[in-house]
Amino acid sequence: MISEFLGADDELANARIEFRSQPHPIPADARVAYKLAQVAIVLSAFNRNSATIENLHLFTWSLQSKRAGQMLLSWWSGSRYANTVTQRSDPHLPVALNVGLIRGIVSITGTSHNRVTLQPPGVLFAQQIELDEELMSAEKSYIRQFKKLSDAAVARRLTRAS
């Protein structure tokens, strides 16, 4: 069928395709499904399943490493002031959000298109993750330390004067 499309004499039509194992697997945090699960966990912890894109970046960034997580927790608790640049970004988040938009898991709203909200399929996804105790247990445990989140709570806690 491909040879008909390309022509029987075409070099591509007769090319041999070979798959081989790659030495470097894709890190988990770069995988769209994993990143969407993180988004669902984080947004479900926020008031009305909705957060600004900046806060979503901050919390998914904090899930990238133990050090990042400890840094956000210390800012949150007040033991370390967030007078340094606290706007952190997760480089894999935009791709996951695009897929989430296409799949109806999230919507992006706000006058500046700066608010991400879980849609009913995303809420269901977050609930399924929550029900499975072993699935993403470290991430869920970490996010629970912040109790119920809101954009206002993040602003209050991270903009303290030193």
Side-chain angles (χ1 to χ4, degrees):
M1 190 180 252
I2 292 175
S3 60
E4 292 172 9
F5 175 73
L6 296 173
D9 296 334
D10 194 313
E11 185 177 321
L12 288 176
N14 298 315
R16 178 182 156 107
I17 298 173
E18 185 177 315
F19 295 93
R20 57 181 161 29
S21 178
Q22 295 295 317
H24 303 290
I26 297 172
D29 66 342
R31 296 178 187 181
V32 174
Y34 177 75
K35 190 56 64 180
L36 276 174
Q38 281 186 335
V39 167
I41 290 169
V42 170
L43 288 177
S44 68
F46 270 81
N47 188 29
R48 296 185 180 154
N49 298 320
S50 184
T52 63
I53 189 76
E54 292 85 8
N55 286 336
L56 184 58
H57 266 287
L58 177 65
F59 279 85
T60 58
W61 164 82
S62 73
L63 291 169
Q64 288 181 356
S65 70
K66 192 169 192 132
R67 182 176 181 270
Q70 289 301 319
M71 190 178 296
L72 181 56
L73 279 170
S74 67
W75 291 336
W76 191 264
S77 70
S79 63
R80 180 175 169 189
Y81 290 108
N83 58 2
T84 57
V85 177
T86 58
Q87 194 169 22
R88 301 290 195 238
S89 65
D90 179 344
H92 305 293
L93 185 59
V95 173
L97 288 179
N98 283 333
V99 172
L101 280 167
I102 292 168
R103 299 287 184 194
I105 295 171
V106 297
S107 66
I108 296 182
T109 59
T111 55
S112 303
H113 301 291
N114 66 339
R115 176 160 295 286
V116 182
T117 304
L118 278 181
Q119 294 302 296
V123 172
L124 180 61
F125 184 39
Q127 289 170 345
Q128 290 172 335
I129 294 168
E130 189 60 41
L131 288 174
D132 187 333
E133 292 179 20
E134 294 179 11
L135 183 62
M136 301 186 78
S137 59
E139 292 89 340
K140 292 186 295 191
S141 176
Y142 172 77
I143 293 296
R144 283 185 198 121
Q145 294 178 74
F146 296 95
K147 310 290 182 222
K148 192 67 175 170
L149 292 167
S150 69
D151 292 322
V154 174
R156 276 191 310 272
R157 292 206 177 235
L158 298 186
T159 57
R160 294 182 190 138
S162 41

